[in-house]
């Protein structure tokens, strides 16, 4: 597998630079055409560099497929009014209890208001990187590595599916199925579509669903498809309380934090890839707390 070389610009205020692939020709003119005068002005300010760190100026011409790097201008974002408690910190790892409504890392309209950027700023760890992701609406245990060279070993644990995860969820729906039950289905998530869907075919998603009584459920995923737990509970007639996507899409204002998704990444267990030590991290959040 080919590894992408490190960006030639360091993170700034918690954010790494943007990597852009060029169409070819004069760089300043292309940036002006594609992104506007404000982005093109970054060339004159000496804020745009090539992959090897060479500063681009108004005369620079690069071929199609070349990459350049620059810092983005941040959009206005609605602040997420919740702290990110640290459950564990050592030289290699930071484990936090992510709140609802906070994305794991920058994507789309969520940039500064993400766990990654906030933690880089608060902990002064510019190379902090998530070893896995939680949905923006899901709260609970989230693991980060502190240095670039550590990302691979820990991310590989999650990619191989050897990390043991347990979630808690609440559904106010009256159960009509026998539990425990191993739910197996094929889940597909298409770009641009808010919902994932189940379709016929070879199963690619497995979740053990157990009832804890009083509308509470323990979920043990054996795979990690997008929205897997939300889709599987909804398929059992047990949609998670506060879910704006399943079983139907509900429009929620960006500044409405009144109805959190009652889904919590409660427990994370794995054998440390560097030391072989057994690691266990448990959320301190209350599933029903706002």
């Amino acid at each position: 597998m080919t590894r992408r070389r490190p960006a030639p610009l360091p993170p700034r205020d918690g954010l790494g630079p943007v990597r852009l692939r060029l169409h070819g020709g004069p760089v300043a003119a292309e940036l002006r055409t594609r992104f506007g005068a404000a982005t093109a002005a970054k060339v004159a300010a000496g804020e745009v560099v090539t992959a090897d760190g060479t500063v681009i100026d108004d005369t620079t011409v690069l071929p199609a497929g070349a990459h350049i790097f620059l810092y983005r201008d941040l959009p206005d974002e609605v602040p997420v009014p919740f702290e990110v408690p640290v459950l564990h910190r050592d030289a290699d790892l930071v484990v936090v209890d992510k709140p609802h409504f906070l994305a794991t890392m920058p994507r789309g309209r969520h940039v500064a208001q993400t766990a990654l950027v906030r933690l880089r700023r608060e902990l002064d760890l510019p190379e902090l990187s998530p070893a896995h992701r939680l949905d923006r609406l899901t709260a609970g245990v989230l693991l980060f590595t502190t240095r670039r060279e550590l990302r691979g070993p820990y991310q590989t644990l999650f990619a191989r599916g050897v990390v043991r995860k347990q979630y808690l969820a609440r559904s106010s729906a009256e159960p009509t199925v026998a539990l425990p039950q191993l739910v197996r289905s094929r889940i597909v998530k298409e770009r641009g579509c808010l919902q994932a869907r189940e379709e016929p075919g070879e199963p690619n998603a497995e979740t053990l669903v157990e009832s804890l009584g009083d509308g509470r459920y323990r979920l043990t995923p054996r795979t990690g498809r997008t929205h897997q737990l939300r889709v599987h509970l909804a398929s059992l007639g047990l949609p998670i309380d506060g879910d704006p996507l399943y079983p139907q899409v509900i429009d929620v204002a960006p500044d409405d934090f009144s109805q959190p998704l009652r889904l919590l990444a409660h427990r994370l267990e794995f054998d440390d890839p560097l030391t072989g030590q057994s690691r266990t991290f448990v959320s301190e959040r209350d599933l029903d707390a706002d």
Side-chain angles (χ1 to χ4, degrees):
M1 180 177 66
T2 302
R3 292 183 179 273
R4 181 182 295 180
R5 70 170 67 180
L9 295 173
R12 185 173 72 181
D13 198 22
L15 278 168
V18 174
R19 177 176 179 261
L20 295 177
R21 183 182 177 92
L22 298 176
H23 296 162
V27 176
E30 180 174 338
L31 291 179
R32 185 174 296 105
T33 300
R34 291 174 61 185
F35 304 107
T39 301
K42 294 178 182 292
V43 172
E47 297 179 357
V48 184
V49 303
T50 63
D52 64 4
T54 301
V55 177
I56 289 170
D57 61 29
D58 287 333
T59 67
T60 302
V61 176
L62 292 175
H67 291 98
I68 59 173
F69 294 79
L70 66 154
Y71 295 111
R72 75 190 82 184
D73 294 323
L74 298 184
D76 292 332
E77 295 182 60
V78 176
V80 178
F82 307 111
E83 299 299 321
V84 189
V86 174
L87 295 171
H88 172 86
R89 180 178 179 180
D90 59 34
D92 298 334
L93 300 177
V94 173
V95 184
V96 302
D97 220 352
K98 188 184 83 66
H100 300 283
F101 303 106
L102 191 68
T104 295
M105 59 191 301
R107 184 178 182 184
R109 59 189 174 92
H110 304 288
V111 182
Q113 291 298 310
T114 59
L116 175 61
V117 174
R118 283 175 53 169
L119 289 166
R120 280 179 172 178
R121 293 173 175 177
E122 294 170 10
L123 304 180
D124 192 24
L125 292 172
E127 294 186 3
L128 195 73
S129 181
H132 63 122
R133 300 184 189 185
L134 291 178
D135 287 345
R136 185 178 70 88
L137 298 183
T138 303
V141 180
L142 181 60
L143 185 145
F144 293 83
T145 58
T146 59
R147 301 186 306 282
R148 183 179 295 111
E149 65 268 20
L150 299 175
R151 287 185 301 189
Y154 289 94
Q155 288 177 343
T156 297
L157 289 181
F158 288 88
R160 290 170 50 209
V162 297
V163 177
R164 299 171 293 280
K165 309 174 190 176
Q166 282 191 345
Y167 291 72
L168 299 178
R170 174 173 289 282
S171 176
S172 298
E174 190 67 27
T176 59
V177 296
L179 298 176
Q181 184 174 147
L182 179 63
V183 182
R184 302 178 71 246
S185 69
R186 182 170 186 80
I187 295 178
V188 176
K189 176 71 165 64
E190 295 178 352
R191 178 174 295 182
C193 183
L194 294 176
Q195 290 182 317
R197 71 175 191 276
E198 292 180 299
E199 65 177 27
E202 182 69 23
N204 62 5
E206 291 190 6
T207 307
L208 177 63
V209 180
E210 301 171 276
S211 174
L212 299 177
D214 193 29
R216 293 165 59 92
Y217 298 89
R218 180 167 56 221
L219 312 175
T220 306
R222 299 181 179 177
T223 54
R225 312 301 299 186
T226 299
H227 296 178
Q228 174 178 321
L229 304 180
R230 299 159 70 179
V231 170
H232 276 169
L233 271 191
S235 74
L236 294 178
L238 298 169
I240 300 174
D241 290 355
D243 196 334
L245 291 183
Y246 303 95
Q248 61 187 13
V249 177
I250 301 171
D251 187 27
V252 180
D255 59 351
D256 184 354
F257 304 108
S258 63
Q259 297 293 327
L261 177 71
R262 300 302 180 181
L263 178 62
L264 176 66
H266 178 65
R267 188 181 185 93
L268 203 62
E269 298 179 71
F270 58 91
D271 294 330
D272 193 289
L274 303 183
T275 67
Q277 174 187 358
S278 178
R279 299 267 207 169
T280 300
F281 302 106
V282 179
S283 172
E284 298 176 355
R285 294 187 178 276
D286 182 343
L287 177 65
D288 297 314
D290 292 336

